[in-house]
């Protein structure tokens, strides 16, 4: 099947400082893809660049293909029909993404008018249906309320409703549950998983929360310092991470069950994009690094089991040596 | 052994207003909370936003005055806020905040900021203070050459280390940490959590650790108190509480933590939102969201009572039958 979105060699630089170093990414129709990494690794920038949402001081090169359309260098008018129409995006802080001085109903109707040409009663009916769909109780009674009259979790539901207004093929959710309480986070994750199944809409889920990604995604890309370092199915990556950084992210997570032990942090900090180390960007923090890693930048190469990996000395494959058991215990404690 | 910190029946009421000219309505942010922290013990306080956990943390230090109830520190009542006696006591109890950039003065070098508590509490002379700052920086894992840096020159994790070093400067017996690792990335969060673990181990320092992150709380705390709408609804040793929660809210909280390898289905997903503290539901405040709620829950406020030798829960259905029915 043809890919819905194909990103090839996407590079972004702010004021001449490169922050994204050639990202290749594809999203299949209906697929749920997770993008994981720490702050500053470029997971949000990838999609902001793809949709032309970065400020003009950013220089973007590469190719972003949506079906037959090439989005890079496309005129603003073309991008405007794509954004919200074919690709919708929701953000971390829903209350700042909604207009505080407009009633919710009006904001939803505006999205419906722009993307579907619905007006008047038809728009209102559809807006109410969307509010129902995302689980806003008493949609009719709350149609005329302002954003501040809704809680954080409900504002995020409304954002999702607005994103769905254009019947997009792809929903990009950028840390959609980070600002929410644990019980509300569970509700929103559940909602996103349900909507994707019902509407057969591809989802890109950007998050630093490995647990949340594991629950809603099928495929995961792990990013570090502006590059994808490991890519594979959720099962592959979470049961048996092979890039030392992916493994490090798991080891650094405290566990909810099992014995309480000291965490295994990744030493050091994420490198400054103005001052990247030579060779592999993760090498100064990596316990497996060899002198070779300081000089050569590993490419993201396909592996036998179907995943892609950018590491010269990865953790052994499944079934090789004693590490396997240790890795499983580490991940599933 | 006497408790280092003992709070009895703490109450804090804020006056909230509905709209600009609306009637003032009291909001009971903390509503009759009692707890004890033994020397060397770490107590975790978990709950969702609006549960009153941060207000409680400030009340324990006397920063936020209590409208009812008492706090005893080291066996004696906490002096009135802003009195000399209270200020002197503050050397023995310190606070670590969530946002280190907001907690630090951006015009002072980090060495000057770590030294400040020593100056305020008149500890040592100039030479002793300089030595102590060096010691503290080493203890929290900052390099000596970073002493002259300003907060904006450091990463988030390093800034949080500065805040922790500053809190430790006066050698406090009690450290209240309010979401100290929530703003940090996973790999850095683990570094700071391990630092706090080392601090626990090396001295008889007590800690109150306020967080919404159950995984971190379980990793750090000896005992955990779960708050819902200003009240403690369950308390117990953290191993037991996480393995065998008695209150339906605690069960839902634990179930809502996404963990790699645990499937989405089969989780208890709570319906509804945490209620508005200004409109506390009658009876058990959790009843509108609770699957076990019956008439008694709607009418009678459940008292915190013992369910297991070391565990207490405030639920009418916290006995064995209800727990097994829900499981």
């Amino acid at each position: 099947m043809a890919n819905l979105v194909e990103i090839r060699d996407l590079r972004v630089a702010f004021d001449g400082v490169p922050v994204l170093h050639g990202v290749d990414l594809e999203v299949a129709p209906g697929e749920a893809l997770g993008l994981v990494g720490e702050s500053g690794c470029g997971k949000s920038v990838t999609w902001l660049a793809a949709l032309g949402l970065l400020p003009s001081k950013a220089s973007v090169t590469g190719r972003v293909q949506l079906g037959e359309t090439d989005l890079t260098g496309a005129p603003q008018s073309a991008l405007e029909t794509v954004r919200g129409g074919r690709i919708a995006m929701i953000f971390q802080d829903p209350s700042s993404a909604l207009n505080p001085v407009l009633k919710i109903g009006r904001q939803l109707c505006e999205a419906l008018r722009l993307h579907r040409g619905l007006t008047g009663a038809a728009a209102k009916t559809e807006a109410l249906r969307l509010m129902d769909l995302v689980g806003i109780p008493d949609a009719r009674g709350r149609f005329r309320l302002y954003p501040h009259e809704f809680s954080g979790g409900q504002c995020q539901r409304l954002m999702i409703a607005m994103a769905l207004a254009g019947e997009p093929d792809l929903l990009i959710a950028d840390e959609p549950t980070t600002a929410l309480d644990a019980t509300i986070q569970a509700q929103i994750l559940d909602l996103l998983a349900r909507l994707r199944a019902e509407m057969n809409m591809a989802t890109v889920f950007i998050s630093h929360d490995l647990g949340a990604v594991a629950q809603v995604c099928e495929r995961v890309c792990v990013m570090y310092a502006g590059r994808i370092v490991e890519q594979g199915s959720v099962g592959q990556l979470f049961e048996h991470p092979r890039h030392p950084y992916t493994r490090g992210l798991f080891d650094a997570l405290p566990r909810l069950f099992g014995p309480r032990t000291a965490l295994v942090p990744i030493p050091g900090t994420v490198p400054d994009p103005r001052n990247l180390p030579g060779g592999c960007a993760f090498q100064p923090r990596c316990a497996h690094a060899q002198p070779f890693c300081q000089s050569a930048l590993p490419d993201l190469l396909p592996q036998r089991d179907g995943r892609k990996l950018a590491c010269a000395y990865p953790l052994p494959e499944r079934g090789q040596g004693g590490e396997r058991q240790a890795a499983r215990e580490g991940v599933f404690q | 052994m006497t408790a280092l910190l003992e709070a009895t029946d703490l109450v804090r009421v804020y006056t909230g207003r509905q709209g600009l000219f609306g009637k003032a309505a009291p909001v009971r942010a903390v509503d009759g909370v009692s707890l004890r922290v033994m020397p060397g013990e770490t107590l975790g306080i978990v709950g969702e936003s609006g549960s009153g956990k941060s207000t409680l943390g400030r009340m324990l230090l006397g920063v936020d005055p209590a409208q009812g109830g008492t706090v005893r520190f080291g066996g004696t009542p906490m002096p009135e806020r802003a009195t000399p006696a209270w200020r002197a006591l503050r050397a023995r109890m310190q606070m670590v905040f969530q946002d280190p950039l907001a907690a630090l003065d951006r015009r002072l070098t980090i060495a000057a900021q770590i030294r400040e508590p020593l100056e305020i509490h008149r500890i040592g002379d100039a030479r002793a203070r300089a030595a102590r700052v060096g010691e503290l920086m080493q203890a929290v894992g900052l390099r000596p050459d970073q002493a002259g840096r300003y907060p904006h020159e450091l990463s988030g994790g390093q800034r949080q280390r500065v805040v922790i070093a500053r809190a430790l400067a006066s050698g406090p017996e009690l450290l209240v940490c309010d979401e100290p690792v929530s703003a940090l990335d996973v790999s850095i969060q683990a570094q700071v959590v391990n630092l706090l673990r080392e601090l626990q181990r090396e001295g008889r320092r007590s800690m109150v650790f306020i967080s919404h992150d159950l995984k971190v709380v379980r990793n750090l705390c000896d005992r955990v108190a779960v708050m819902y709408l200003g009240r403690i609804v369950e308390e117990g040793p953290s191993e037991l509480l996480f393995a065998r929660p008695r209150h339906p809210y605690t069960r839902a909280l634990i179930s809502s933590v996404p963990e790699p390898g645990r499937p989405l289905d089969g989780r208890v997903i709570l319906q509804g939102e945490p209620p508005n503290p200004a409109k506390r539901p009658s009876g058990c405040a959790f009843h509108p969201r609770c699957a076990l709620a019956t008439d008694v829950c709607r009418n009678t406020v459940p008292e915190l009572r013992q369910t297991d030798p070391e565990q207490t829960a405030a639920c009418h259905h916290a006995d064995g039958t209800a727990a097994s029915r829900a499981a």
Side-chain angles (χ1 to χ4, degrees):
Chain A
M1 192 157 45
N3 283 322
L4 180 65
V5 178
E6 271 186 21
I7 296 177
R8 289 286 167 260
D9 199 31
L10 188 67
R11 288 166 193 274
V12 175
F14 291 109
D15 297 327
V17 179
V19 292
L20 213 58
H21 306 264
V23 165
D24 292 317
L25 200 61
E26 48 286 313
V27 185
E31 183 191 31
L33 172 73
L35 275 185
V36 185
E38 297 177 277
S39 26
C41 71
K43 51 194 194 303
S44 301
V45 166
T46 302
W47 289 99
L48 292 174
L51 293 178
L53 287 171
L54 287 175
S56 54
K57 71 168 182 173
S59 74
V60 180
T61 61
R63 200 163 55 84
V64 181
Q65 191 92 21
L66 170 69
E68 300 295 299
T69 333
D70 189 355
L71 296 186
T72 31
Q76 277 300 323
S77 57
L79 282 175
E80 274 161 16
T81 60
V82 167
R83 291 196 293 246
R86 299 201 55 197
I87 303 181
M89 195 158 176
I90 55 172
F91 299 94
Q92 177 173 351
D93 184 5
S95 47
S96 66
L98 292 165
N99 188 337
V101 298
L102 289 185
K103 288 172 182 157
I104 282 300
R106 192 164 151 204
Q107 297 191 47
L108 275 168
C109 289
E110 184 188 16
L112 288 165
R113 180 175 59 77
L114 282 173
H115 298 297
R116 308 242 303 264
L118 294 175
T119 49
K124 184 171 178 183
T125 314
E126 178 63 10
L128 288 173
R129 188 188 71 85
L130 287 171
M131 284 171 79
D132 268 341
L133 185 69
V134 298
I136 301 280
D138 184 25
R140 194 163 287 277
R142 310 187 72 175
F143 193 73
R144 292 183 182 285
L145 295 186
Y146 290 96
H148 74 267
E149 294 173 276
F150 291 86
S151 68
Q154 284 176 333
C155 281
Q156 193 58 284
R157 286 173 193 272
L158 289 167
M159 280 309 301
I160 296 173
M162 275 174 84
L164 297 178
E167 297 183 318
D169 300 320
L170 172 63
L171 175 69
I172 298 165
D174 188 356
E175 304 265 7
T177 60
T178 308
L180 304 175
D181 276 320
T183 58
I184 308 303
Q185 180 177 354
Q187 293 174 3
I188 298 288
L189 289 180
D190 203 37
L191 173 67
L192 285 172
R194 179 168 64 82
L195 288 175
R196 186 178 77 85
E198 279 176 17
M199 308 184 60
N200 193 27
M201 164 182 72
T203 314
V204 171
F205 189 82
I206 301 173
S207 180
H208 68 277
D209 188 338
L210 294 163
V213 167
Q215 290 189 338
V216 291
C217 298
E218 295 152 350
R219 204 157 60 87
V220 181
C221 296
V222 180
M223 293 188 72
Y224 187 78
R227 284 193 177 85
I228 295 176
V229 295
E230 189 167 7
Q231 179 178 333
S233 72
V234 166
Q236 282 173 341
L237 250 67
F238 285 38
E239 279 177 39
H240 193 74
R242 290 197 60 205
H243 196 286
Y245 177 62
T246 316
R247 178 67 203 271
L249 283 180
F250 282 113
D251 289 344
L253 275 185
R255 302 276 154 206
L256 199 53
F257 302 102
R260 289 198 296 168
T261 49
L263 305 179
V264 188
I266 303 175
T269 51
V270 176
D272 181 349
R274 277 164 297 202
N275 200 3
L276 280 184
C280 169
F282 185 58
Q283 150 271 120
R285 305 175 73 189
C286 181
H288 298 257
Q290 307 280 336
F292 175 75
C293 301
Q294 294 172 17
S295 54
L297 180 69
D299 286 322
L300 188 67
L301 298 173
Q303 306 292 309
R304 263 183 294 179
D305 58 359
R307 81 174 84 195
K308 288 183 179 171
L309 189 61
C311 181
Y313 299 95
L315 301 169
E317 262 181 86
R318 182 188 292 267
Q320 284 183 3
E323 183 122 11
R324 175 188 166 202
Q325 197 54 36
R328 287 191 67 89
E329 275 167 17
V331 171
F332 276 124
Q333 265 173 18
Chain B
M1 193 158 64
T2 53
L4 176 70
L5 185 79
E6 187 163 16
T8 318
D9 216 13
L10 286 181
V11 176
R12 181 82 175 98
V13 183
Y14 292 111
T15 319
R17 220 173 259 281
Q18 291 285 317
L20 190 55
F21 303 106
K23 215 169 63 183
V27 176
R28 297 177 81 85
V30 172
D31 194 4
V33 167
S34 303
L35 53 82
R36 293 160 67 140
V37 184
M38 304 307 277
E41 184 184 50
T42 300
L43 172 71
I45 298 179
V46 298
E48 296 178 273
S49 43
S51 62
K53 53 191 195 304
S54 292
T55 305
L56 177 64
R58 289 197 303 275
M59 288 168 79
L60 292 178
L61 294 188
V63 181
D64 225 354
Q67 271 133 345
T70 53
V71 180
R72 294 170 75 86
F73 185 82
T76 51
M78 176 89 60
E80 192 100 355
R81 193 174 87 98
T83 57
W86 178 74
R87 291 216 170 88
L89 195 62
R90 288 285 277 116
R92 297 170 61 192
M93 43 186 206
Q94 291 286 352
M95 187 141 187
V96 175
F97 300 91
Q98 173 171 5
D99 180 1
L101 197 56
L104 293 170
D105 186 329
R106 40 191 89 200
R107 292 165 305 173
L108 289 179
T109 63
I110 63 168
Q113 308 207 40
I114 297 172
R115 193 167 57 232
E116 222 173 5
L118 301 173
E119 287 161 0
I120 291 169
H121 294 293
R122 298 198 181 82
I123 301 169
D125 54 17
R127 179 180 303 203
R129 282 173 196 163
R132 176 86 178 127
V133 169
E135 251 174 60
L136 287 163
M137 286 184 58
Q138 197 188 2
V140 299
L142 290 165
R143 292 193 312 271
D145 62 282
Q146 291 170 324
R149 301 274 192 94
Y150 290 89
H152 71 266
E153 297 176 290
L154 302 177
S155 69
Q158 288 168 337
R159 282 179 208 138
Q160 195 56 290
R161 286 167 199 268
V162 175
V163 174
I164 292 172
R166 185 179 63 181
L168 293 174
S170 58
E173 291 147 72
L174 174 72
L175 212 52
V176 174
C177 306
D178 190 357
E179 305 267 11
V181 297
S182 304
L184 306 176
D185 269 320
V186 185
S187 69
I188 309 302
Q189 177 179 325
Q191 294 174 9
V192 176
V193 168
N194 278 355
L195 168 63
L196 291 171
R197 280 178 79 111
E198 278 163 36
L199 295 175
Q200 282 175 333
R201 219 172 306 146
E202 77 184 23
R204 315 149 314 282
R205 193 172 288 115
S206 303
M207 232 183 259
V208 174
F209 190 87
I210 300 166
S211 180
H212 68 275
D213 189 333
L214 296 184
K215 290 193 269 197
V216 175
V217 166
R218 194 188 93 101
N219 202 269
L220 270 175
C221 302
D222 304 310
R223 274 191 311 126
V224 178
V226 181
M227 285 188 78
Y228 192 77
L229 271 194
R231 292 197 185 143
I232 292 180
V233 295
E234 182 158 11
E235 199 202 317
S238 70
E239 289 289 336
L240 288 178
L241 189 115
F242 281 96
R244 198 187 52 199
R246 294 301 192 194
H247 196 286
Y249 178 62
T250 315
R251 272 202 294 275
L253 264 189
I254 293 174
S255 179
S256 69
V257 177
E259 260 217 301
R262 203 158 55 131
L264 196 60
D265 7 295
R267 294 194 300 160
V268 187
I269 294 183
L270 274 189
Q271 297 308 310
E273 312 264 331
N276 182 348
K279 290 185 204 134
R280 164 183 282 281
S282 66
C284 171
F286 183 60
H287 87 254
R289 303 174 77 191
C290 182
L292 305 176
T294 54
D295 278 342
V296 62
C297 306
R298 286 181 263 279
N299 301 321
T300 320
V301 180
E303 295 293 320
L304 205 56
R305 60 192 171 88
Q306 204 151 22
T307 56
D308 298 274
E310 291 176 275
Q311 209 168 333
T312 53
C315 176
H316 295 297
H317 302 295
D319 47 42
T321 52
S324 57
R325 184 148 42 96

